[in-house]
Amino acid sequence: GRIEYKTMAHQKRNAKCSCGSEKKYKYCCLRKDWTFTSQRDVSQLIDEAGMRGLEPERSERDEAERALHVLAADPRTTKEDQLNASLHLIQLAQRRGDHNSALAQLDALVVDEHSEARLQTMFLRAISLTQVGSHNDAAAVFDTLLETPTASRKSTSGFWELEAGRTYNLAGRNEDAMRMTKKALSFFDESNDVEHLTRAKSNLAFMMMDSED
């Protein structure tokens, strides 16, 4: 028979579950609600699972990964939704430190050369290459990525430059590392992002000390 699906939009993750258990929704009935009734809900659930994958608890991330696999495999999921789910799964692999798996998943993706997703896959590839120690290869990916006009990646510019600075430093390209980190510092200063501004300042101080040795 037809499986009944429903959306989670009515319930906030950190609110008490409406079932009366006194638990937070994310620790209770959310696990039962990875379901949908329409194509619009598929996209919504994939995005919600991706957000759930950012939770600090490993159990939450594992449940998000399970949900993303289920949603990506459903025949009603569009190619765009499948790509979105795949990108979330790659980020989950990176969060658990499995960068070889992330790289294998990136190799399997088919992405339009001129799409926004192509830029995201390049960034994710550079991150994982850096983590597995392929610093020169990662730096080459960042070289290509950062040739993209800033206007087309305005919201992510500082984050890319911050990570590029770190990778360039590991690849022994200290001048490029400091240049990128200074750009990231300016971006986070203008956007009042204190957390990442502090990280950029710390990275830059380390690079400057390293260059004096």
Side-chain angles (χ1 to χ4, degrees), residues 53-212:
L54 299 176
E55 292 284 343
E57 298 93 343
R58 177 62 185 267
S59 61
E60 288 290 295
R61 301 199 301 272
D62 288 346
E63 192 65 22
E65 185 169 2
R66 183 194 69 78
L68 286 165
H69 280 298
V70 170
L71 291 164
D74 192 282
R76 287 162 291 190
T77 303
T78 66
K79 287 184 177 181
E80 183 178 352
D81 286 332
Q82 288 175 341
L83 174 60
N84 191 23
S86 295
L87 291 172
H88 284 308
L89 286 166
I90 290 165
Q91 290 171 298
L92 278 165
Q94 291 180 327
R95 285 210 68 192
R96 67 170 180 266
D98 193 351
H99 290 279
N100 287 316
S101 173
L103 289 167
Q105 291 179 64
L106 284 163
D107 288 339
L109 279 184
V110 178
V111 183
D112 189 309
E113 287 288 331
H114 305 291
S115 68
E116 189 73 23
R118 177 63 175 171
L119 301 179
Q120 188 176 357
T121 60
M122 291 175 68
F123 176 69
L124 295 174
R125 182 178 297 279
I127 293 296
S128 284
L129 285 171
T130 299
Q131 292 299 320
V132 299
S134 299
H135 302 142
N136 290 329
D137 290 341
V141 174
F142 272 124
D143 286 343
T144 302
L145 181 63
L146 293 168
E147 289 174 358
T148 305
T150 303
S152 69
R153 53 183 176 83
K154 186 175 181 181
S155 64
T156 55
S157 176
F159 299 97
W160 291 3
E161 288 157 356
L162 182 64
E163 293 301 331
R166 176 173 175 271
T167 295
Y168 288 150
N169 184 61
L170 291 168
R173 293 169 51 177
N174 197 260
E175 287 187 9
D176 289 333
M178 288 194 287
R179 178 171 55 85
M180 283 296 114
T181 305
K182 286 176 182 178
K183 285 187 175 184
L185 196 153
S186 177
F187 175 90
F188 295 125
D189 188 31
E190 290 177 6
S191 59
N192 295 314
D193 186 335
V194 177
E195 179 183 349
H196 289 96
L197 178 62
T198 301
R199 181 180 163 195
K201 286 180 177 179
S202 176
N203 287 2
L204 184 60
F206 175 81
M207 292 170 190
M208 293 177 71
M209 288 176 58
D210 195 41
S211 66
E212 292 172 359

Side-chain angles (χ1 to χ4, degrees), residues 8 11-19 21-34 48 51-52 54-57 59-61 63-64:
M8 301 180 292
Q11 181 84 60
K12 292 186 180 296
R13 294 171 48 77
N14 288 311
K16 286 186 178 180
C17 190
S18 58
C19 75
S21 67
E22 296 297 314
K23 296 180 182 178
K24 288 185 178 180
Y25 177 56
K26 68 181 183 181
Y27 295 129
C28 193
C29 290
L30 178 60
R31 288 174 169 77
K32 305 172 186 176
D33 288 348
W34 289 107
E48 288 179 358
M51 291 298 295
R52 191 176 186 183
L54 299 176
E55 292 284 343
E57 298 93 343
S59 61
E60 288 290 295
R61 301 199 301 272
E63 192 65 22

